Amino acid sequence: METGRKVREITITALMAVLLAVFGMFRLPGILPGTEFQLSAPFAVCIAACFGFKKYIKIGILASAVQMVLGAYSIVNVTISMIFRLVAGGILSIFGVHPVTIVVSGPLGTVAGRLFLGWMTGTNPLTLIAAALPGMIFTAAGSVLMFPLMKRAVGTEMKRCQ
């Protein structure tokens, strides 16, 4: 790979990681406690859809490292984020990038993260999933709305958007 192309790839990876980390720090409040919506979820789905699973996981690991260094995330937060990333990115990787997979990958990643959190804390996971339902709806809608924008913005850099 030529040097200029490698520099461009590293720069885009770092930029996406920082954006994912920043979006992960912001949450839109819900009507009930625990029903907030994390802005990074639809952005993450779009990254996975546009750049592919391998690059998405690299971006996610870098974003988690940034959040841990800044003190915004603990190892529990990182674990739940990685579960989300593995499930959401895995769905897009296995089943392809289609409107249906873009809609369902984020909510299913959230469900997987909530199942793990329930197991880890001894909390009923159905309660955690119910609290996450508004955010899952926002994630599904946000992913569908954000995907064409991300696809257009990354243009020739993307590997999987078509």
Side-chain angles (χ1 to χ4, degrees):
M1 183 180 299
E2 71 179 65
T3 305
R5 187 169 162 201
K6 186 70 172 172
V7 169
R8 173 179 269 149
E9 184 177 324
I10 291 169
T11 303
I12 289 171
T13 300
L15 176 64
M16 291 293 143
V18 169
L19 287 171
L20 186 60
V22 169
F23 284 143
M25 293 180 199
F26 291 101
R27 291 169 173 78
L28 297 176
I31 297 169
L32 300 171
T35 62
E36 74 273 352
F37 165 61
Q38 194 168 355
L39 293 172
S40 63
F43 186 68
V45 169
C46 292
I47 291 172
C50 287
F51 292 102
F53 183 76
K54 187 177 175 182
K55 189 163 190 171
Y56 169 57
I57 293 300
K58 287 179 190 176
I59 290 167
I61 290 168
L62 288 171
S64 290
V66 167
Q67 290 168 321
M68 284 194 66
V69 167
L70 294 174
Y73 268 29
S74 68
I75 194 69
V76 174
N77 298 107
V78 171
T79 303
I80 293 168
S81 294
M82 289 309 296
I83 290 170
F84 174 92
R85 291 176 184 130
L86 290 171
V87 171
I91 288 169
L92 291 163
S93 180
I94 292 167
F95 298 107
V97 177
H98 306 286
V100 172
T101 56
I102 290 170
V103 168
V104 301
S105 61
L108 290 176
T110 299
V111 167
R114 295 293 174 123
L115 288 172
F116 173 79
L117 183 61
W119 170 79
M120 195 174 108
T121 61
T123 306
N124 182 351
L126 294 178
T127 304
L128 297 172
I129 292 167
L133 279 175
M136 288 191 279
I137 293 166
F138 288 135
T139 297
S143 299
V144 168
L145 294 172
M146 195 182 291
F147 178 69
L149 300 172
M150 170 90 68
K151 183 178 169 182
R152 188 174 194 192
V154 297
T156 60
E157 300 304 323
M158 59 191 178
K159 303 238 188 254
R160 304 217 12 218
C161 289
Q162 296 181 19

